[in-house]
Amino acid sequence: MSGTERVAGIVAIIGAGTMGRRIAYGCAVRGVRARLHDISEEALAGAIEDVRALLEAADDGHGAGATHGVVEACGDLEDCVGEADWVIETVHEDLELKRVVLGRIGAAAPAEAFIASNTSSLPGSWMAESTGRPGRFTNMNFGPPEDLKVEVMGHPGTDPATIDAAKRFLRRLGLVPIVARREIQGYPTNRIWRAIKKESLHLVAGGYLSAEEIDRAWMLDWGTPIGPCGLMDVVGLDVVRDIENVYYEASGDPSDRPPGFLDRMVERGELGVKSGKGFYTYPSPAFEREGWLTDSDA
């Protein structure tokens, strides 16, 4: 590890979807420069607008906004990563797409830059060689803006120094790194969420409980402000479907195949929060309504 290594001078984020925006905001609010790229000009412009809105909402009214880092939109991937200390890939959960994008990142980023994939289900060992620098590559699994946890999972060829650098970077963002001791598909703690998600989808598909009943029961049991189906809406039902397909393709187990109703929701554009409709309608989903939690006839 170079003695001159910066924890996070410039962070390049490739993919301006839900997670790309979340990471860009997390950098900016902590005063870390972020560059954001997407092949869609519309998505990129929307992401910059969303990040600025989040920064304005985070401003405490006493000049906090002046300390926010700059988020720069980049139309060209190579320009985006050219001076980066960290590059975080957040494109769709498609192995071949990620390999192509990571190959471009590896070819254009500075030799000392670290590269991470924000994949939710793909092990780093499936992608590491694409970067041309497998030792400086790891996985990171970010959550929504209010989630402090980020799961870090190296692959067998990840240098220990890369994991150390990842922990320093995440702490610079005010986040808590949870480091996997061994590689496993889907990350260790993320698999716990996956078991809950999978069973919830199974119960809805089988007509055992509605999404609202599942969430109401969960929220009453665990005292959380949101249930599993509401959380899937936050993640994006298209993302949930794609992740489940990755597990199914890896295992061949029919129980891992996402249920048909989820495919139909995605086909109708019912993707959750980002489309305005999923299991709930947004903004102002039913579970936020006063009295909803205890009104079993709602």
Side-chain angles (χ1 to χ4, degrees):
M1 181 71 63
S2 168
T4 62
E5 177 219 322
R6 294 179 294 175
V7 173
I10 298 176
V11 178
I13 302 155
I14 308 304
T18 300
M19 293 313 303
R21 298 173 192 209
R22 179 264 181 269
I23 298 167
Y25 166 72
C27 290
V29 80
R30 299 290 292 198
V32 175
R33 290 180 61 194
R35 292 179 175 173
L36 186 59
H37 166 76
D38 199 283
I39 59 172
S40 166
E41 293 182 6
E42 181 179 1
L44 187 55
I48 296 298
E49 183 178 339
D50 283 355
V51 170
R52 286 174 178 164
L54 286 169
L55 290 174
E56 289 176 6
D59 196 323
D60 62 8
H62 299 284
T67 67
H68 293 324
V70 175
V71 179
E72 176 187 352
C74 297
D76 182 79
L77 183 148
E78 282 70 22
D79 287 343
C80 185
V81 307
E83 299 177 284
D85 299 285
W86 273 95
V87 183
I88 304 175
E89 167 272 308
T90 70
V91 303
H92 295 300
E93 199 78 351
D94 179 295
L95 178 60
E96 291 310 315
L97 173 62
K98 285 182 179 289
R99 284 172 171 165
V100 169
V101 171
L102 289 167
R104 290 181 62 189
I105 291 170
E112 66 274 14
F114 297 101
I115 302 173
S117 174
N118 187 58
T119 175
S120 295
S121 60
L122 300 168
S125 57
W126 296 4
M127 303 176 286
E129 293 299 329
S130 302
T131 68
R133 58 184 84 184
R136 298 180 82 83
F137 174 74
T138 189
N139 283 6
M140 293 184 189
N141 189 31
F142 288 79
E146 64 277 7
D147 192 348
L148 293 179
K149 182 204 81 174
V150 177
E151 195 160 7
V152 178
M153 185 173 71
H155 60 90
T158 301
D159 292 338
T162 299
I163 300 299
D164 290 341
K167 291 192 289 186
R168 288 194 297 274
F169 165 53
L170 293 170
R171 289 177 181 137
R172 171 70 178 82
L173 299 185
L175 299 170
V176 180
I178 303 295
V179 180
R181 295 187 176 188
R182 294 176 57 195
E183 183 182 66
I184 186 172
Q185 185 179 1
Y187 302 87
T189 68
N190 203 42
R191 290 175 67 93
I192 300 170
W193 156 239
R194 196 256 168 166
I196 296 164
K197 172 182 61 177
K198 178 182 175 182
E199 190 62 24
S200 297
L201 292 171
H202 168 71
L203 293 173
V204 173
Y208 299 103
L209 282 174
S210 69
E212 289 199 9
E213 290 165 333
I214 290 171
D215 284 0
R216 183 177 288 111
W218 183 272
M219 292 161 70
L220 287 168
D221 276 346
W222 300 103
T224 60
I226 192 170
C229 296
L231 187 53
M232 282 189 269
D233 274 354
V234 173
V235 172
L237 298 186
D238 53 337
V239 176
V240 170
R241 189 271 311 271
D242 290 348
I243 291 170
E244 293 307 293
N245 271 325
V246 169
Y247 280 102
Y248 172 62
E249 290 167 5
S251 71
D253 184 343
S255 72
D256 284 332
R257 187 198 295 268
F261 84 83
L262 186 61
D263 282 326
R264 292 189 291 274
M265 290 180 74
V266 172
E267 289 167 5
R268 291 195 299 266
E270 298 171 4
L271 309 181
V273 174
K274 61 187 172 184
S275 69
K277 185 176 182 181
F279 288 114
Y280 299 90
T281 300
Y282 299 87
S284 303
F287 62 81
E288 292 182 353
R289 189 173 65 239
E290 185 176 358
W292 177 88
L293 186 61
T294 55
D295 184 1
S296 61
D297 294 324

